[in-house]
Amino acid sequence: MKALIIEDEIPSSRRLARKLADAEVEVVAELSSVRQSIAWLKNNEHPEVFFVDIQLGDGLVFEIFKEVSITSYIIFTTAYDMYALQAFDYKSIAYLLKPITNEKLAEGIAKVKNFQAIPNRMEEIQQLVQYSKETVTKDSFAVKIGRKIKIIKLAEIVCLYSEYNTTFIHTKNDQSFPIDYSLSHLETVLPRQIFNRANRKFILHKTFIKDIISYTNSRLQIKLNNFKEQEIIVSRERVKDFKNWLN
């Protein structure tokens, strides 16, 4: 079996490579960034399985999968559990939390072999995960205001945005509150018929969209009710999905 490692921490990558070699898995390459991985995957034959960290130095590994078609099996190796549901949007068969034990690694390798023997099993699991994501969603957030806790319902949220490495909820009362979730995680728990990721910094509530304006390079500019702090541009790669969501 051949494998690819995508990991931005060099010691972790080398340690994993040694463990895989002991398990008779050949590592064909060790990559450390989104950009490097996209370039390599576009120009090389893909091995049977990828071992990938989620948070890389130049972005989330999911950005790679948006640029390159992946048919290999994927085993996520990460210190964070917040991305588990999103990970299964892709052909993921295991989600290993660091530090990775030999036992857990062996289980992941065994899963690859098992899935190779039963081709349709991966599709069945992805259907179940998609059902879970559609039926298990958040309906409110608890935010701290001084010594008090305030409950904010989804209907009150104009948008969610990232700034200074912090995620904020902005409400129809023109207030912003920090929350302990990444936008990538919020994509997995917010109802998709109501909320949409416009770009790296914003998730928008459909009800509060005031205007949609054509913008340069085939992008869209969005004006929201009760939010004037920042310009919101739907990135070109998200425009098609955004238009489908509006309909």
Side-chain angles (χ1 to χ4, degrees):
M1 182 187 301
K2 295 183 179 181
L4 172 70
I5 295 175
I6 302 177
E7 165 67 71
D8 66 341
E9 295 180 0
I10 302 304
S12 295
S13 180
R14 291 175 178 172
R15 187 162 49 249
L16 177 57
R18 288 194 297 269
K19 287 178 177 287
L20 290 172
D22 291 340
E24 298 184 346
V25 175
E26 178 187 352
V27 177
V28 298
E30 296 178 46
L31 309 174
S32 60
S33 70
V34 171
R35 172 181 278 185
Q36 182 189 29
S37 299
I38 290 172
W40 191 93
L41 290 167
K42 285 183 176 180
N43 292 284
N44 292 274
E45 183 179 353
H46 298 185
E48 290 98 320
V49 59
F50 295 1
F51 289 84
V52 302
D53 193 6
I54 291 182
Q55 291 191 338
L56 303 175
D58 59 346
L60 296 179
V61 75
F62 304 123
E63 298 301 320
I64 298 171
F65 305 144
K66 293 175 183 177
E67 295 290 331
V68 183
S69 177
I70 305 295
T71 58
S72 306
Y73 294 103
I74 298 171
I75 294 179
F76 287 93
T77 59
T78 179
Y80 304 93
D81 62 0
M82 66 178 66
Y83 299 105
L85 277 179
Q86 187 176 1
F88 279 94
D89 272 345
Y90 307 94
K91 204 171 184 179
S92 168
I93 59 174
Y95 192 96
L96 307 182
L97 291 176
K98 297 177 181 177
I100 302 167
T101 65
N102 291 335
E103 180 183 6
K104 290 297 183 182
L105 184 60
E107 290 177 1
I109 294 170
K111 282 185 178 181
V112 175
K113 296 177 179 178
N114 188 23
F115 279 100
Q116 286 177 324
I118 310 173
N120 293 329
R121 191 174 178 191
M122 188 70 239
E123 285 70 20
E124 293 173 0
I125 288 182
Q126 287 181 313
Q127 288 175 5
L128 289 173
V129 171
Q130 182 62 33
Y131 175 77
S132 297
K133 290 176 68 173
E134 291 173 351
T135 57
V136 182
T137 58
K138 289 187 71 67
D139 61 2
S140 63
F141 290 88
V143 299
K144 188 174 182 180
I145 305 175
R147 298 176 62 184
K148 297 181 179 180
I149 301 294
K150 176 180 175 63
I151 303 299
I152 299 178
K153 297 290 187 180
L154 296 189
E156 303 175 59
I157 299 174
V158 175
C159 64
L160 304 99
Y161 65 95
S162 177
E163 188 173 39
Y164 307 120
N165 294 319
T166 302
T167 302
F168 294 88
I169 288 174
H170 190 84
T171 70
K172 62 183 181 182
N173 295 325
D174 204 19
Q175 296 177 298
S176 291
F177 304 98
I179 55 174
D180 294 326
Y181 296 98
S182 69
L183 290 184
S184 295
H185 173 67
L186 291 170
E187 281 187 280
T188 70
V189 297
L190 290 170
R192 294 188 177 188
Q193 67 273 25
I194 301 174
F195 291 91
N196 186 276
R197 182 83 174 262
N199 53 40
R200 288 178 178 269
K201 293 185 64 177
F202 280 92
I203 293 177
L204 310 182
H205 191 304
K206 185 184 295 186
T207 301
F208 294 96
I209 294 177
K210 180 180 179 181
D211 290 310
I212 302 173
I213 304 166
S214 295
Y215 202 70
T216 58
N217 295 325
S218 302
R219 295 176 295 171
L220 298 174
Q221 182 179 27
I222 308 299
K223 302 288 187 180
L224 298 178
N225 290 313
N226 309 98
F227 185 85
K228 299 178 180 178
E229 283 78 358
Q230 300 182 45
E231 183 178 59
I232 303 173
I233 305 297
V234 180
S235 55
R236 185 167 55 183
E237 64 271 17
R238 293 181 182 270
V239 165
K240 182 178 179 180
D241 176 71
F242 189 82
K243 289 180 176 179
N244 290 335
W245 170 70
L246 289 173
N247 293 327

